[in-house]
Amino acid sequence: MSKTETDKGQEELGAAGSQLSTAPREEQLSGVPAMGVIGWIRWFWRQLTSMRVALLLLLLLSLAAIPGSLIPQTGADLNKVDDFRAAHKTLAPVYDKLGLFHVYSSVWFSAIYILLFISLIGCIVPRAWQFTGQLRGRPPGAPKRLDRLPAYTTWRTTAEPEEVREAALKLLKRRRFRAHAEGDAVAAEKGYLREVGNLIFHIALIVLLVAFAWGQMYKSDGTKLMVEGDGFSNALPMYDDFKSGSMFQPDELVPFSFDLKKFTGTYETSGPNKGTPRTYQAKIEYSTGTDGTRKAKTIKVNQPLHIGASKVYLVSHGYAPVITVRDGKGKVVYRDAVPLLPLDGNVTSNGVVKVMDGYTSPKGLKEQLGFQAFFVPTFDPKAGTMMSQFPALVNPLLAVNAYHGDLGVDAGIPQSVYQLDTTHMKAFKDDKGQLLKKLLRPGDSMQLPNGAGSITFDKEIKQWAGFEIVQEPGSGWALGGAIAAIFGLAGSLFIQRRRVWVRTVRGADGVTVVEMAGLGRSESAKLPEELGDLAGILYDQAPGAPDPDDDSSPIPDPHVVPAEGAEK
């Protein structure tokens, strides 16, 4: 074969394999751009909208999100950011300049995000347009040399060429190929869902990007600690802590309210999982709108309450002992359930009791009282420690000490309800001049010296539950995009797009010669198998004729073999 014929054969094979993919040609993405502004713009656009650049930007976006998970973020917890600044005097200014305390709103993260968005759109639009054109067109005609294709078989038959072509056309259509007759051959194609899956995958990525941006800008996330019997209304002043996106408006909060009726927690009592929660749920009554009907609901871990676009999650639990404080005359100046914060898995807890109004010292002076409280739901004297040995209320014990003076709450400086500022306070002393403290069981009291009053650990111990109220407007779209991306990726990976041609011509001796060949986007072991199956069925309808050059095998069997040059 001459060089000219070889080049022509390669061109014919290239035409047969054209448009098996809508991916841009590599030669369009390489080379030096033409001189001038327009040339550089075109070159930059081709690079930006190439698939490899899109994948690179996606990788960069994933890497850029890592600091947002490792470094405290101002949008999530400002207190942790302040603690980080105090602990890292050298790193904090560097992080500030790099925007690492607000990664997701930083300039560099937004730049990667926007470039990825543009790149994906630039990839999808032309590919979708090209794929639409392929669907409207027909599979290309058969090349002149079918024996150059990766899978090939041939046999001779006494059937007429027209009959074989008609049988082949019906067979391929029955196997869901898009097929048509052109000249002396039948051209067929199958596997378009591969490109559909590819497009769905990239469109789903855009949906994910939009949903993520939408959710970040319009989201709201707040927490509320509620003691049994407390109520909550979904308004900003009711939250203990609240953060939101840059575009969020307070009037976008879903109007609803609920009351915490009872928290129930049961735990494993023995074995290696001792103390592990078995039941962890909060019974509430809620209503939507301003005058909605009240409904009962039980919120469990990972089973939130759905109200419109809001979700109410149960996220924490603790105890709130009921504390009563009396002055020297026996008058009750404070009585309330005091939420204490857990320190470990067995709900060892601490907190403070602040008596801000109504107390008068034995000398007739208006003062404020402060008590530091340490609570264990299950105290075991044999354990040799004050830490709780079990999270349920088996043997509760409360340790308290007392201060009097100025709590500092009237200075206008915010302070935690769980911490006691003793800067302007004096400790009550016992007979030995030591800090007055006592271990109290339910019903016990501690008398303050010099007739200053008393504090009582009431027998009633309530429980509290912590709730997280979240509005994420883009979460549904993000979930749908993620599912679509998975199915699209699976389709693009596992569906093989391939073409099959069947040519029937009358030979010099008047016997029909049947040629079948197949071509896929990439080499696949299934293509020869599929072609062999089709050839076997067609052979049954157009059986082989005797070979004049071989009297010993008058009926050859159409085995599919690698064609000439297929190994290359």
Side-chain angles (χ1 to χ4, degrees):
M1 183 183 293
S2 66
K3 182 177 180 181
T4 304
E5 291 176 346
T6 303
D7 294 340
K8 289 182 178 180
Q10 292 177 349
E11 291 176 1
E12 292 171 1
L13 184 58
S18 65
Q19 297 183 349
L20 271 174
S21 171
T22 57
R25 297 178 181 178
E26 287 298 322
E27 62 267 22
Q28 293 178 343
L29 301 176
S30 60
V32 180
M35 297 299 293
V37 177
I38 301 300
W40 280 105
I41 292 176
R42 288 178 178 175
W43 179 84
F44 178 78
W45 176 252
R46 287 173 180 171
Q47 298 298 318
L48 180 61
T49 57
S50 64
M51 189 55 60
R52 56 188 174 190
V53 172
L55 293 175
L56 178 61
L57 289 172
L58 186 60
L59 175 62
L60 288 176
L61 190 69
S62 302
L63 295 176
I66 294 177
S69 302
L70 301 178
I71 300 173
Q73 300 294 292
T74 54
D77 195 331
L78 188 58
N79 292 328
K80 287 186 177 180
V81 175
D82 293 337
D83 294 340
F84 187 92
R85 294 180 192 274
H88 302 83
K89 299 293 185 180
T90 304
L91 280 179
V94 178
Y95 284 5
D96 275 324
K97 292 181 179 179
L98 296 176
L100 296 181
F101 289 123
H102 50 90
V103 168
Y104 304 113
S105 59
S106 62
V107 175
W108 53 271
F109 187 88
S110 300
I112 299 174
Y113 193 90
I114 293 172
L115 286 175
L116 176 60
F117 191 82
I118 295 173
S119 179
L120 286 174
I121 293 178
C123 289
I124 290 173
V125 172
R127 293 183 70 156
W129 182 258
Q130 184 179 350
F131 183 61
T132 302
Q134 293 179 14
L135 292 177
R136 295 176 61 183
R138 288 182 170 186
K144 293 181 179 181
R145 293 290 302 273
L146 290 179
D147 58 349
R148 292 181 177 273
L149 299 184
Y152 172 80
T153 187
T154 182
W155 72 93
R156 292 155 50 86
T157 180
T158 56
E160 295 295 324
E162 294 79 5
E163 295 176 358
V164 180
R165 285 196 295 271
E166 184 66 24
L169 184 63
K170 291 181 179 179
L171 171 63
L172 291 170
K173 287 184 176 180
R174 191 164 61 247
R175 290 297 184 92
R176 298 189 299 276
F177 279 84
R178 292 180 65 221
H180 70 99
E182 182 176 340
D184 60 359
V186 175
E189 188 170 359
K190 190 178 183 180
Y192 288 94
L193 287 179
R194 179 188 181 94
E195 191 63 32
V196 172
N198 194 12
L199 292 173
I200 289 176
F201 172 73
H202 290 91
I203 293 173
L205 288 182
I206 293 181
V207 172
L208 280 172
L209 291 175
V210 173
F212 177 77
W214 183 18
Q216 289 296 313
M217 290 189 295
Y218 291 96
K219 73 173 182 179
S220 66
D221 188 346
T223 58
K224 179 64 178 179
L225 186 150
M226 298 176 62
V227 179
E228 292 173 329
D230 287 353
F232 171 81
S233 179
N234 195 24
L236 283 182
M238 297 294 293
Y239 284 93
D240 296 332
D241 180 51
F242 186 85
K243 52 183 179 291
S244 62
S246 58
M247 304 296 290
F248 177 82
Q249 298 296 328
D251 57 4
E252 295 176 0
L253 288 172
V254 178
F256 68 88
S257 61
F258 67 92
D259 299 332
L260 175 60
K261 296 300 182 181
K262 182 176 179 58
F263 178 88
T264 303
T266 60
Y267 309 89
E268 294 287 346
T269 58
S270 61
N273 296 323
K274 181 180 179 181
T276 303
R278 297 172 57 188
T279 304
Y280 203 82
Q281 60 188 31
K283 293 183 179 180
I284 68 166
E285 287 186 359
Y286 74 97
S287 63
T288 57
T290 56
D291 54 354
T293 304
R294 297 190 69 79
K295 302 177 183 178
K297 173 71 176 180
T298 299
I299 302 178
K300 302 179 181 180
V301 177
N302 297 326
Q303 296 182 18
L305 169 65
H306 294 260
I307 304 178
S310 290
K311 296 179 183 178
V312 182
Y313 292 90
L314 175 63
V315 294
S316 57
H317 154 259
Y319 292 102
V322 177
I323 305 296
T324 300
V325 180
R326 294 177 173 86
D327 61 13
K329 298 180 181 180
K331 177 185 175 182
V332 176
V333 295
Y334 179 91
R335 188 177 191 277
D336 201 358
V338 181
L340 304 178
L341 298 182
L343 300 176
D344 57 25
N346 288 325
V347 203
T348 304
S349 310
N350 68 354
V352 298
V353 180
K354 297 181 180 181
V355 182
M356 295 180 285
D357 300 306
Y359 175 77
T360 303
S361 69
K363 296 181 180 181
L365 300 176
K366 289 185 178 181
E367 285 188 320
Q368 295 174 330
L369 299 178
F371 301 89
Q372 293 177 331
F374 189 86
F375 177 77
V376 289
T378 300
F379 175 69
D380 185 2
K382 297 180 181 180
T385 177
M386 187 60 184
M387 305 300 288
S388 177
Q389 302 302 306
F390 194 70
L393 291 171
V394 178
N395 184 24
L397 190 69
L398 181 69
V400 295
N401 53 40
Y403 295 83
H404 64 100
D406 183 7
L407 291 170
V409 294
D410 299 327
I413 301 175
Q415 60 177 240
S416 173
V417 296
Y418 304 105
Q419 295 179 349
L420 184 65
D421 183 3
T422 59
T423 304
H424 303 288
M425 304 194 76
K426 295 181 180 180
F428 283 104
K429 304 291 185 179
D430 58 16
D431 296 338
K432 299 179 180 180
Q434 301 295 323
L435 175 66
L436 180 66
K437 55 186 177 181
K438 188 176 182 181
L439 299 178
L440 304 177
R441 297 186 181 276
D444 290 349
S445 298
M446 181 180 75
Q447 298 296 324
L448 302 179
N450 302 320
S454 65
I455 178 173
T456 302
F457 176 21
D458 292 0
K459 293 184 177 182
E460 181 182 10
I461 301 176
K462 294 186 177 182
Q463 300 188 72
W464 61 261
F467 297 94
E468 183 176 11
I469 298 92
V470 179
Q471 282 187 211
E472 295 177 329
S475 58
W477 285 96
L479 176 61
I483 294 174
I486 293 173
F487 281 100
L489 182 61
S492 65
L493 292 177
F494 298 111
I495 296 176
Q496 177 71 18
R497 190 172 175 184
R498 62 273 193 199
R499 288 170 180 163
V500 172
W501 292 274
V502 181
R503 173 176 285 130
T504 58
V505 295
R506 194 179 302 277
D509 56 356
V511 180
T512 301
V513 178
V514 181
E515 289 184 292
M516 292 187 68
L519 177 65
R521 179 180 174 183
S522 58
E523 294 184 6
S524 173
K526 293 184 178 181
L527 180 61
E529 294 178 5
E530 185 176 29
L531 187 66
D533 182 39
L534 293 171
I537 297 174
L538 188 60
Y539 183 83
D540 292 339
Q541 301 179 31
D547 190 342
D549 298 330
D550 188 0
D551 296 335
S552 62
S553 55
I555 305 178
D557 197 17
H559 296 294
V560 177
V561 298
E564 176 187 348
E567 67 275 5
K568 299 179 182 179

